[in-house]
Amino acid sequence: MFSSVAHLARANPFNAPHLQLVHDGLTGHRSSPAAPPGPPRRSRNLAAAAVEEQYSCDYGSGRFFILCGLGGIISCGTTHTALVPLDLVKCRMQVDPQKYKGIFNGFSVTLKEDGVRGLAKGWAPTFIGYSMQGLCKFGFYEVFKVLYSNMLGEENAYLWRTSLYLASSASAEFFADIALAPMEAAKVRIQTQPGYANTLRDAAPKMYKEEGLKAFYKGVAPLWMRQIPYTMMKFACFERTVEALYKFVVPKPRSECTKAEQLVVTFVAGYIAGVFCAIVSHPADSVVSVLNKEKGSSASQVLQRLGFKGVWKGLFARIIMIGTLTALQWFIYDSVKVYFRLPRPPPPEMPESLKKKLGLTQ
């Protein structure tokens, strides 16, 4: 499967280094006669620089997708685990707003009741669950982006690129949430039910004994409600923000930026995307937190009981958490690509054929 995807990826409009070489006429450069000396063309020099950079694999190859999945594991597993204390307080605010009245009050009450160690409750299911989610989220996103873009064709993939990002991320998150659901259910039980269990080793057998496999997957539908809109916003907003930053803010082309400068742009775009992600997904997140705590409740029952005001409890904490989380995830994911020398295509450019149709070239 990966070999066929790799073949399609070479014509992908997001494989911009390849397109840039074709557009500049470098593919036939060796056989053409020597041109008279003159001032060097800037675009030709930039394309030559792309040739000089040696990648460890081809864009869209099996190795590319596997290493992207590894980047997802590292970025999601580490960041979610690092933010377990904030996530714990946020969940308790959603489940028991009378007791945990705000983010600072929530930390204070938790420290008094459970001590410093109590803030780390649920770290194991968080690390395992979100590592698996990251593998599917980022790995499958790259796969679906290549597949869908080639289904659309070069010109339509460029024109409909926002829809392409949305469809690719939604498809990836569908599978990512199936991988996440069991660990998310265990994490919420540990964090929000005092005395239920302190570790994953204690929680998982107890949950299975009480409700069977349903205990681990009854929250998958609300997870889709929360995570699919979140991920669609996360990827589409990030991709378009990066494009806008290089076009309107960064004072030089991406190809002239150092790797460190490119990673700064990645972090800024990730934080902007994270703020929107938090707002879009928060109501469903509130439902998931309450649903995984209670036995026998349905998502519609929880939603009706919480009401409009109740589903927005803990939003400020979630904005801080998700904004930081998303920025760090994109930064780590892009850093992994740099470390393994994976192709990192710049924002897509309008294909030459489309420019001709629109009368933008002579």
Side-chain angles (χ1 to χ4, degrees):
M1 184 190 80
F2 284 139
S3 59
S4 62
V5 173
H7 174 72
L8 290 172
R10 293 189 181 94
N12 192 321
F14 299 94
N15 193 12
H18 170 73
L19 286 176
Q20 184 63 46
L21 298 181
V22 174
H23 296 165
D24 287 340
L26 294 181
T27 50
H29 181 67
R30 293 181 181 177
S31 59
S32 60
R41 284 178 58 194
R42 183 168 165 271
S43 60
R44 194 174 291 256
N45 288 341
L46 296 179
V51 174
E52 291 173 4
E53 184 171 358
Q54 296 296 315
Y55 297 121
S56 63
C57 61
D58 292 331
Y59 179 79
S61 65
R63 176 181 169 83
F64 174 81
F65 292 132
I66 289 170
L67 289 177
C68 285
L70 176 61
I73 290 174
I74 296 171
S75 67
C76 290
T78 55
T79 52
H80 276 279
T81 305
L83 292 174
V84 160
L86 185 60
D87 184 45
L88 181 145
V89 172
K90 182 264 301 177
C91 284
R92 290 185 174 183
M93 287 168 59
Q94 292 170 328
V95 172
D96 192 355
Q98 300 301 320
K99 183 177 181 180
Y100 303 92
K101 298 177 181 179
I103 183 169
F104 297 110
N105 175 260
F107 272 107
S108 177
V109 172
T110 301
L111 285 169
K112 285 179 182 177
E113 292 183 347
D114 301 326
V116 176
R117 291 185 64 183
L119 292 173
K121 276 188 175 181
W123 74 267
T126 297
F127 179 74
I128 296 169
Y130 283 94
S131 292
M132 293 302 96
Q133 188 207 38
L135 168 68
C136 299
K137 185 197 297 274
F138 284 94
F140 286 164
Y141 173 71
E142 300 287 358
V143 172
F144 284 118
K145 190 165 75 168
V146 169
L147 288 175
Y148 292 163
S149 64
N150 284 286
M151 288 169 61
L152 289 171
E154 184 181 42
E155 293 179 4
N156 286 329
Y158 175 80
L159 292 172
W160 295 89
R161 59 192 182 280
T162 301
S163 299
L164 176 64
Y165 302 144
L166 293 170
S168 301
S169 55
S171 301
E173 189 60 35
F174 176 85
F175 296 101
D177 289 341
I178 295 173
L180 170 65
M183 294 296 103
E184 179 73 1
K187 181 204 78 169
V188 172
R189 290 286 181 97
I190 293 169
Q191 290 182 338
T192 62
Q193 291 189 17
Y196 184 84
N198 289 322
T199 65
L200 176 62
R201 238 175 353 191
D202 296 333
K206 195 171 182 178
M207 291 170 64
Y208 183 76
K209 185 178 180 180
E210 291 175 351
E211 300 181 69
L213 285 176
K214 181 184 176 183
F216 299 100
Y217 286 99
K218 71 176 184 178
V220 72
L223 264 181
W224 283 328
M225 290 166 54
R226 179 188 82 182
Q227 291 296 132
I228 289 179
Y230 163 84
T231 302
M232 292 169 72
M233 182 66 71
K234 175 178 181 173
F235 283 86
C237 184
F238 172 79
E239 298 270 20
R240 293 310 298 258
T241 302
V242 167
E243 190 175 334
L245 287 175
Y246 280 115
K247 187 174 182 180
F248 300 110
V249 179
V250 180
K252 54 186 176 181
R254 179 182 183 271
S255 53
E256 293 180 8
C257 295
T258 64
K259 292 290 192 298
E261 290 170 338
Q262 292 175 13
L263 290 174
V264 169
V265 173
T266 295
F267 184 86
V268 172
Y271 210 103
I272 293 170
V275 172
F276 289 101
C277 289
I279 296 169
V280 165
S281 62
H282 189 72
D285 182 65
S286 298
V287 173
V288 170
S289 295
V290 175
L291 189 66
N292 281 323
K293 179 190 173 185
E294 299 178 352
K295 298 176 188 176
S297 295
S298 66
S300 59
Q301 290 171 337
V302 171
L303 185 60
Q304 187 175 11
R305 189 166 67 255
L306 287 175
F308 179 80
K309 188 176 179 180
V311 297
W312 294 105
K313 285 282 185 181
L315 177 61
F316 179 67
R318 184 166 169 78
I319 286 175
I320 295 173
M321 174 184 165
I322 297 300
T324 306
L325 191 76
T326 306
L328 288 173
Q329 283 179 357
W330 277 115
F331 181 83
I332 293 170
Y333 179 65
D334 219 18
S335 297
V336 170
K337 282 187 169 183
V338 170
Y339 178 80
F340 286 109
R341 296 183 292 110
L342 299 183
R344 298 165 56 245
E349 298 176 359
M350 185 180 292
E352 287 296 315
S353 58
L354 188 57
K355 288 180 181 178
K356 290 178 182 177
K357 286 181 180 179
L358 297 174
L360 300 177
T361 56
Q362 296 297 326

